[in-house]
């Protein structure tokens, strides 16, 4: 049987995971995660975000232990590590789930996808070939209406020694957050949050916009969807099958479509994270940029109460509602 390396990135779950299901059908599987220095050394990544990732990895590792495998950890350039594992015969193949990225990550994924013996799976509602205007809605509906893929009962695996531990990574990058986070990472927490939200989904109506109400009445599933602790389809199916308030259910499931819609926008135009959609606004006020005002905005000290309260909430908890 082929030895298949299963590369996890933002799909930190064992259910509804196409690359895992296909690899478990076709060979012996070794799941692995690469701690990429480009992520850990970025000024855009907070320690609170890293801690969420690490909690999610620990839960994923525990889940693999339940089905007879282990989650292995490597540290360094993902393309170099994967190329080395394939060239040395540690892996016969590498499978992974596609994600929508830009910049460095997009170049990395393109390079790895082009390697022989690497296979990428695209079960995420995103149109990657052709005109998304013509086919996105149909593809998204098909994605949400397909059954959630079950977790393999038992994995046939093989042995490779991890290079590092999560504790090693915490030490290397001095990860320590004083953030009073509202979210702990992991699939179990995501499932509990989803179930609690759907059980009280009627509260969602009227609770989306007001910031104090939104903190109590929205799902707050966004970080779990971002890191793949739960898939948009899992959230959609659970809401469809277990909620009895049609209006609230429609409000919630429509926002899961929005998630895929705006992910599609980024796929179509990777520059969205770096420049205005409207070219007339690109570089606006750059010549008069005030660094002191910028810092006050980031710290929640502009003097505008709603702006400041929103920014302080984001800084202290890692979350604010989308209207804010």
């Amino acid at each position: 049987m082929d030895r298949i390396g299963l590369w996890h990135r933002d799909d930190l779950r064992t259910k509804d995971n196409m690359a895992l299901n296909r690899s478990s059908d076709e060979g012996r599987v070794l799941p692995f995660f690469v701690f990429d220095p480009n992520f850990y050394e970025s000024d855009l990544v907070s320690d609170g975000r890293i801690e969420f990732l690490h909690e999610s990895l620990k839960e994923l590792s525990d889940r693999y232990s339940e089905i007879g495998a282990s989650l292995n950890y490597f540290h360094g350039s993902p393309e170099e590590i994967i190329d080395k594992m394939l060239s040395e015969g540690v892996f016969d193949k590498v499978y992974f789930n596609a994600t929508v990225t830009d910049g460095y990550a997009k170049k990395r994924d393109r390079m790895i996808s082009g390697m022989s013996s690497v296979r990428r799976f695209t079960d995420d509602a995103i149109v990657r070939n052709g005109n998304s205007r013509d086919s996105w809605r149909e593809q998204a509906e098909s994605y949400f209406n397909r059954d959630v893929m079950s977790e393999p009962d038992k994995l046939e695996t093989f042995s490779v020694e991890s290079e590092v531990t999560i504790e090693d990574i915490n030490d290397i990058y001095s990860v320590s957050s004083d953030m009073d986070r509202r979210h702990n990472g992991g699939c179990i927490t995501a499932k509990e949050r989803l179930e609690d939200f759907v059980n009280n989904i009627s509260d969602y109506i009227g609770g989306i916009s007001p910031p104090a109400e939104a903190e109590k009445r929205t799902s707050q599933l966004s970080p779990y969807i971002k890191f793949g602790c739960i898939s948009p389809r899992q959230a959609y199916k659970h809401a469809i099958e277990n909620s009895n308030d049609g209006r609230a259910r429609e409000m919630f499931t429509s926002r899961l479509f929005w998630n895929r819609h705006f992910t599609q926008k980024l796929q179509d135009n990777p520059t969205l994270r770096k420049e205005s959609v409207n070219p007339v606004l690109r570089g606006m006020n750059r010549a008069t940029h005030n660094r002191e005002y910028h810092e006050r905005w980031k710290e929640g000290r502009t003097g505008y109460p709603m702006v400041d309260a929103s920014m302080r909430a984001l800084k202290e908890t890692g979350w604010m509602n989308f209207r804010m």
Side-chain angles (χ1 to χ4, degrees), residues 67-306:
I67 57 174
S70 61
L71 178 64
N72 284 49
Y73 299 126
F74 303 98
H75 178 220
S77 161
E79 57 265 40
E80 290 178 4
I81 289 168
I82 289 172
D83 182 61
K84 180 174 182 285
M85 291 291 190
L86 287 169
S87 62
E88 293 182 355
V90 178
F91 299 150
D92 297 312
K93 300 175 181 177
V94 169
Y95 287 1
F96 71 96
N97 289 306
T99 189
V100 176
T101 57
D102 69 336
Y104 157 76
K106 191 176 187 69
K107 293 177 183 176
R108 176 204 63 198
D109 286 5
R110 187 183 298 119
M111 183 181 297
I112 292 172
S113 296
M115 294 179 183
S116 61
S117 304
V118 171
R119 186 175 178 189
R120 185 185 70 161
F121 296 89
T122 56
D123 180 44
D124 57 3
I126 303 304
V127 177
R128 290 178 169 82
N129 298 303
N131 188 341
S132 66
R133 288 180 179 272
D134 296 334
S135 55
W136 177 80
R137 184 75 194 185
E138 180 181 346
Q139 185 151 321
E141 289 177 349
S142 175
Y143 163 79
F144 280 112
N145 288 321
R146 287 196 295 273
D147 290 338
V148 169
M149 286 175 281
S150 59
E151 174 187 87
D153 293 329
K154 192 76 173 175
L155 280 183
E156 294 289 333
T157 189
F158 56 100
S159 179
V160 174
E161 188 172 348
S162 284
E163 290 182 348
V164 292
T165 65
I166 289 176
E167 290 70 25
D168 292 334
I169 297 298
N170 285 334
D171 291 340
I172 291 168
Y173 295 102
S174 302
V175 178
S176 179
S177 172
D178 56 3
M179 184 182 287
D180 180 21
R181 288 187 295 121
R182 293 289 186 264
H183 310 89
N184 294 317
C187 297
I188 295 173
T189 309
K191 181 174 180 290
E192 291 172 350
R193 189 175 285 275
L194 173 62
E195 290 174 348
D196 182 66
F197 169 73
V198 170
N199 287 341
N200 299 281
I201 200 168
S202 295
D203 293 342
Y204 192 52
I205 300 173
I208 297 173
S209 297
E213 290 301 310
E215 189 172 21
K216 296 177 288 186
R217 295 163 62 176
T218 58
S219 73
Q220 297 192 35
L221 285 172
S222 54
Y224 300 97
I225 290 175
K226 165 62 183 173
F227 282 97
C229 303
I230 193 169
S231 70
R233 179 164 54 208
Q234 284 176 285
Y236 177 88
K237 286 288 192 179
H238 186 83
I240 291 294
E241 295 169 3
N242 295 280
S243 58
N244 53 18
D245 187 320
R247 182 184 170 207
R249 179 176 62 239
E250 172 60 26
M251 290 172 65
F252 175 64
T253 55
S254 71
R255 279 156 180 80
L256 293 171
F257 271 85
W258 285 9
N259 173 280
R260 297 293 83 196
H261 170 74
F262 285 106
T263 303
Q264 181 69 60
K265 292 290 187 187
L266 183 61
Q267 170 67 26
D268 293 342
N269 181 8
T271 65
L272 283 177
R273 284 179 172 162
K274 297 179 180 177
E275 63 183 22
S276 172
V277 176
N278 185 343
V280 175
L281 300 179
R282 292 172 192 168
M284 184 178 180
N285 293 330
R286 186 167 294 161
T288 57
H289 175 71
N290 187 309
R291 188 175 296 277
E292 180 185 354
Y293 287 178
H294 190 188
E295 291 304 314
R296 287 185 185 181
W297 171 71
K298 290 197 294 184
E299 297 291 333
R301 296 186 295 108
T302 67
Y304 293 90
M306 184 64 82

Side-chain angles (χ1 to χ4, degrees), residues 9-23:
R9 285 113 40 87
D10 60 352
D11 57 342
L12 305 182
R13 62 184 183 275
T14 54
K15 290 184 178 179
D16 210 33
N17 187 319
M18 180 171 280
L20 171 59
N21 279 61
R22 292 292 180 85
S23 59

